[in-house]
Amino acid sequence: SSTRTQVTVSWVTSIPASSRAEVKNVTTGAIISSPDDPVLKTNHSVTITGLSANTLYSVKGLSATLGGQSASSSESAFRTPR
């Protein structure tokens, strides 16, 4: 059986914006994206589940304002536990 795990991404925007997170499997390039949270806020936190064990991922947060401005957090890499 495979072990599944999760990651929570948190970031702050200077103006209220939506929240979405993307996790990329560094080895395969496959991207898992969270559903877009349309609630406009400045403190964002998104959890993505269903990650594989002992795998290297990169993750970033994505936001968009009502006016159409978009921004992303810096990417950070992590390895899920075995």
Side-chain angles (χ1 to χ4, degrees), residues 10-64:
S10 300
W11 69 101
V12 175
T13 52
S14 57
I15 53 178
S18 63
S19 309
R20 185 165 65 87
E22 273 186 5
V23 176
K24 182 167 88 174
N25 182 318
V26 173
T27 305
T28 66
I31 292 175
I32 302 170
S33 186
S34 71
D36 191 57
D37 177 358
V39 177
L40 302 179
K41 53 193 164 196
T42 55
N43 287 298
H44 308 270
S45 184
V46 176
T47 298
I48 293 182
T49 59
L51 305 181
S52 299
N54 193 28
T55 303
L56 184 63
Y57 289 97
S58 68
V59 63
K60 64 181 175 183
L62 303 162
S63 293

Side-chain angles (χ1 to χ4, degrees), residues 1-5 50-54 81-82:
S1 72
S2 62
T3 302
R4 296 291 180 182
T5 189
L51 305 181
S52 299
N54 193 28
R82 291 181 182 276

